[in-house]
Amino acid sequence: QSDQNRPRFVAVTTLEDVQAVRCAEFHPNGRIYAVGSNSKTFRICEYPSLSEIREDHSTYQPTVLFKRTKHHKGSIYCMAWSPAGDLIATGSNDKTVKLMRFNESQKQLEGQEMELTMHDGTVRDLCFLEDSSNKSSLLISGGAGDCKIYVTDCETSTPFQALSGHGGHVLSLYNWGGVMFVSGSQDKTVRFWDLRTRGCVNMVTPATSPGSRQGSPVAAVCVDPSGRLLVSGHEDSSCVLYDIRGNRPIQCFKPHSSDVRSIRFSPSAYYLLTAGYDNKLVLTDLQGDLTMPLPSVVVAQHTDKVISGRWHPVDFSFLSTSADKTATLWALPPI
């Protein structure tokens, strides 16, 4: 690809911590984001105005609206906002999930936080589902230990379902289309779950070595908004595109030279943002024929492993977190 049309993302803000930053998530309204670190610190930061950003922009520290040290007894591994934006959950290697209410107008946590202690290992990922039947939020959590995926009713803070099936640590969860979600595991499988049927409705082992059925631990999964395309990211640096409706793999590609730790579709679903242990964030264009080689470009880089990449809900900007102890917001300068 020629360098001319390469998107040049600039680092708008960088939050510095004393330890690796594992997770950052935008609030659904896009005006703030939360960051969780190995230093056990939980922060809520303001999303800046991007209208002034130029190519020669100098990166600055974001405005921290809320900060709590010792939020967990261990590293904060994952976090998620509820779709309505009034709840945030964090998961840790202290084996607990913390569920907190968030006041959007005051941009502060409020009320009594709930601690969920059903996991017997590190909580590696979380996602919320809306239970349309009674409009309550459900929290899905998975991780190490017994490898079960738990479903918690957020109204009562009670886990009411434990989904078994994975034979290895659950590393990634992603929901789409209401009651459906997918999980990726160390056991090299991706499982599809439907809460209406209370169980696993499909399982695939994405093949990551050409010409074989060989798989690799699944460190990241996501599904495009239409529910047609699953992408899995693997420890052997592969990504696999999978046609959910046709129940067949489309192609395996390698955007990184090391573990792929995070995958997300852009809000328009045309681009895939992947983050890897090769210190890079890569943008892959999915607008053409998905069976052909996919154009990808490195759009951002850290000085150590990248652990996660997250798109802003509407803007063409993203957050990345890294073992280099930073969380950075990247954006394209207005042309």
Side-chain angles (χ1 to χ4, degrees):
Q1 272 209 328
S2 69
D3 225 35
Q4 278 337 98
N5 38 20
R6 189 187 139 205
R8 288 185 193 278
F9 283 83
V10 296
V12 182
T13 63
T14 290
L15 178 78
E16 292 169 13
D17 197 272
V18 293
Q19 289 187 36
V21 183
R22 283 194 182 265
C23 50
E25 295 286 346
F26 283 106
H27 186 274
N29 72 18
R31 292 195 288 273
I32 56 164
Y33 57 91
V35 181
S37 156
N38 276 9
S39 66
K40 314 179 176 68
T41 307
F42 173 83
R43 295 178 181 86
I44 294 175
C45 302
E46 191 166 45
Y47 181 68
S49 159
L50 300 179
S51 55
E52 302 304 305
I53 307 299
R54 297 292 170 261
E55 292 232 340
D56 56 359
H57 171 81
S58 19
T59 310
Y60 58 93
Q61 288 267 358
T63 304
V64 177
L65 303 168
F66 179 90
K67 177 179 176 181
R68 179 188 280 170
T69 55
K70 301 194 177 70
H71 172 63
H72 275 274
K73 293 187 180 73
S75 304
I76 303 173
Y77 265 72
C78 52
M79 54 173 57
W81 293 95
S82 63
D86 58 342
L87 290 169
I88 184 167
T90 55
S92 167
N93 59 0
D94 67 8
K95 307 178 187 175
T96 68
V97 173
K98 291 203 171 186
L99 188 57
M100 297 153 290
R101 295 224 156 265
F102 179 73
N103 182 319
E104 209 172 311
S105 53
Q106 290 171 357
K107 301 183 178 166
Q108 293 288 328
L109 299 179
E110 61 179 20
Q112 187 63 44
E113 64 175 30
M114 299 305 299
E115 191 173 66
L116 306 175
T117 56
M118 62 281 186
H119 287 277
D120 64 351
T122 299
V123 182
R124 293 297 297 260
D125 209 0
L126 299 161
C127 67
F128 280 92
L129 298 187
E130 285 298 305
D131 182 356
S132 47
S133 58
N134 59 5
K135 281 282 173 270
S136 72
S137 283
L138 302 177
L139 177 66
I140 315 290
S141 55
D146 62 12
C147 309
K148 287 193 172 86
I149 296 169
Y150 287 90
V151 185
T152 300
D153 179 337
C154 297
E155 275 305 299
T156 59
S157 306
T158 320
F160 64 91
Q161 220 171 327
L163 303 169
S164 305
H166 279 299
H169 298 173
V170 177
L171 301 178
S172 181
L173 295 165
Y174 191 85
N175 72 294
W176 90 97
V179 287
M180 302 281 293
F181 68 94
V182 287
S183 56
S185 164
Q186 198 90 48
D187 67 12
K188 305 179 182 175
T189 68
V190 175
R191 283 175 180 263
F192 293 77
W193 308 84
D194 184 334
L195 286 184
R196 289 165 304 199
T197 62
R198 295 187 162 251
C200 178
V201 290
N202 192 13
M203 180 185 91
V204 297
T205 305
T208 60
S209 312
S212 82
R213 292 226 174 119
Q214 206 48 50
S216 168
V218 185
V221 284
C222 72
V223 173
D224 83 315
S226 71
R228 271 193 282 246
L229 197 60
L230 163 84
V231 190
S232 53
H234 300 264
E235 285 185 2
D236 67 358
S237 75
S238 311
C239 290
V240 177
L241 292 182
Y242 193 87
D243 171 357
I244 295 173
R245 295 180 187 171
N247 201 13
R248 61 191 175 82
I250 301 168
Q251 73 156 297
C252 174
F253 62 104
K254 292 207 172 191
H256 294 272
S257 56
S258 191
D259 304 37
V260 180
R261 296 313 295 191
S262 169
I263 300 187
R264 283 293 188 271
F265 285 94
S266 64
S268 63
Y270 295 135
Y271 295 98
L272 199 62
L273 179 71
T274 53
Y277 275 3
D278 57 2
N279 308 0
K280 296 180 172 71
L281 290 119
V282 172
L283 203 59
T284 300
D285 187 341
L286 298 179
Q287 289 172 97
D289 179 346
L290 295 182
T291 61
M292 297 300 284
L294 303 167
S296 13
V297 298
V298 175
V299 285
Q301 207 145 354
H302 280 266
T303 56
D304 203 343
K305 296 171 175 171
V306 185
I307 303 170
S308 78
R310 294 290 183 267
W311 290 104
H312 185 271
V314 285
D315 296 346
F316 205 64
S317 64
F318 60 87
L319 280 168
S320 59
T321 67
S322 168
D324 70 9
K325 308 176 188 170
T326 64
T328 299
L329 172 70
W330 308 84
L332 281 178
I335 304 301

